[in-house]
Amino acid sequence: GENVEQHPSTLSVQEGDSAVIKCTYSDSASNYFPWYKQELGKRPQLIIDIRSNVGEKKDQRIAVTLNKTAKHFSLHITETQPEDSAVYFCAASPAGYNYGQNFVFGPGTRLSVLP
Amino acid sequence: DTGVSQDPRHKITKRGQNVTFRCDPISEHNRLYWYRQTLGQGPEFLTYFQNEAQLEKSRLLSDRFSAERPKGSFSTLEIQRTEQGDSAMYLCASPLGGDTGELFFGEGSRLTVL
C-alpha cells in the first residue's frame, strides 16, 4: 500500500522567512496530494491540494510543487507569519480526490514561526 | 449548522471500560469518515459510511471497535474493553464533495485510557 514520508519533523523559521516541507510517496498510482494544517487543539484543515496533472499550484503565500517522476511533493510558505505556526500534514491518495478512505497521511511537520 | 460536531471532546476512562463517541456530520452529506490520530502522527483511516451503509473498514478497526450510522445521519463509534493503545484522537470527517477532495474534519474526541 501507499507510504508517505515527511521531512522535517520540526521546523523553526524567523518571521518573514520561507518554509519548505517535503513529502515522498511510494505508490506511483497516487494522483491527489492535499496538505492539511492543524493548530494546537484544533481540527485539521485543508490549505492547498494538487492533482497529478499539474506540477505546481499557488494560493497567495502558499504553493505546492509535485514531481511525479521522483514521487515527491513539497509545500512552500513564503513571508511566514506567527499564525502559520502549526502542524502540517501531507497526504497522498492512489484513488483520486474523491476517496477519503484511501488518503494516507504523513507523520506531520511542526512549524514554529519565531517573531 | 455548517460543520462537523463530535461528542464528547474528551474522555478519560479506565482500561477495560467501554466508550462511545458520536459524530454529527455536515447536514445531508452522504459520506462520513472516521479517522484516528495518535500523538505525533497524521490521521489514519478507520472506516466510512455511505448513508447508513458501512462500506469499508481499515485493518486498524479490531473486533473491539464498532461503528454505526443509523438512518444515515449521525454516527457512533464504540470501543469495547478499551486498552491503553486505544488512547488517541478520534476524528470524524465529511467530504465536501463536488470537484474538491477536501475532508471537513470535526474537532475530534480525545480518548485517554488509564
Side-chain angles (χ1 to χ4, degrees):
Chain A
E2 175 64 276
N3 181 55
V4 176
E5 296 185 353
Q6 186 170 347
H7 300 279
S9 56
T10 60
L11 178 61
S12 293
V13 299
Q14 290 294 135
E15 183 177 357
D17 288 350
S18 296
V20 180
I21 302 170
K22 298 181 179 180
C23 288
T24 60
Y25 61 99
S26 61
D27 190 342
S28 56
S30 284
N31 55 18
Y32 175 66
F33 308 90
W35 286 87
Y36 282 77
K37 174 184 180 182
Q38 187 173 30
E39 298 176 29
L40 191 62
K42 301 289 188 179
R43 64 182 184 90
Q45 291 184 276
L46 179 74
I47 55 170
I48 196 167
D49 58 9
I50 192 168
R51 302 180 191 184
S52 59
N53 58 344
V54 298
E56 183 174 1
K57 183 177 179 180
K58 289 187 70 174
D59 183 1
Q60 299 182 336
R61 297 186 297 109
I62 293 173
V64 57
T65 58
L66 171 65
N67 184 326
K68 287 189 293 183
T69 302
K71 289 191 282 190
H72 67 70
F73 56 112
S74 300
L75 177 71
H76 305 253
I77 306 174
T78 59
E79 301 172 16
T80 53
Q81 301 168 3
E83 52 265 38
D84 294 329
S85 296
V87 179
Y88 291 81
F89 296 98
C90 62
S93 173
Y97 66 90
N98 209 23
Y99 297 89
Q101 66 272 29
N102 297 114
F103 289 14
V104 177
F105 286 84
T109 295
R110 181 174 299 279
L111 173 64
S112 299
V113 179
L114 308 174
Chain B
D1 68 337
T2 56
V4 176
S5 298
Q6 293 190 245
D7 184 73
R9 294 290 312 279
H10 303 275
K11 179 70 176 179
I12 300 174
T13 190
K14 293 183 179 179
R15 189 177 53 187
Q17 298 295 304
N18 298 345
V19 296
T20 300
F21 301 116
R22 175 181 169 125
C23 169
D24 287 89
I26 296 175
S27 181
E28 298 182 356
H29 279 225
N30 296 331
R31 278 185 290 155
L32 179 153
Y33 293 95
W34 283 100
Y35 279 79
R36 181 183 76 177
Q37 185 176 22
T38 53
L39 203 60
Q41 296 298 319
E44 298 172 289
F45 168 73
L46 291 179
T47 188
Y48 93 98
F49 291 83
Q50 175 82 27
N51 298 313
E52 67 275 9
Q54 187 174 18
L55 295 186
E56 189 167 333
K57 295 192 289 186
S58 159
R59 288 173 297 177
L60 295 174
L61 220 62
S62 75
D63 292 344
R64 296 184 296 104
F65 288 70
S66 62
E68 296 181 341
R69 193 182 182 197
K71 302 178 184 178
S73 55
F74 70 92
S75 176
T76 58
L77 178 67
E78 181 183 16
I79 310 174
Q80 296 182 324
R81 305 181 304 281
T82 52
E83 302 174 356
Q84 289 184 324
D86 297 332
S87 296
M89 176 76 83
Y90 291 87
L91 293 164
C92 178
S94 286
L96 293 189
D99 194 38
T100 174
E102 182 172 359
L103 293 177
F104 192 103
F105 284 96
E107 299 283 354
S109 292
R110 180 170 295 285
L111 173 65
T112 301
V113 181
L114 302 176

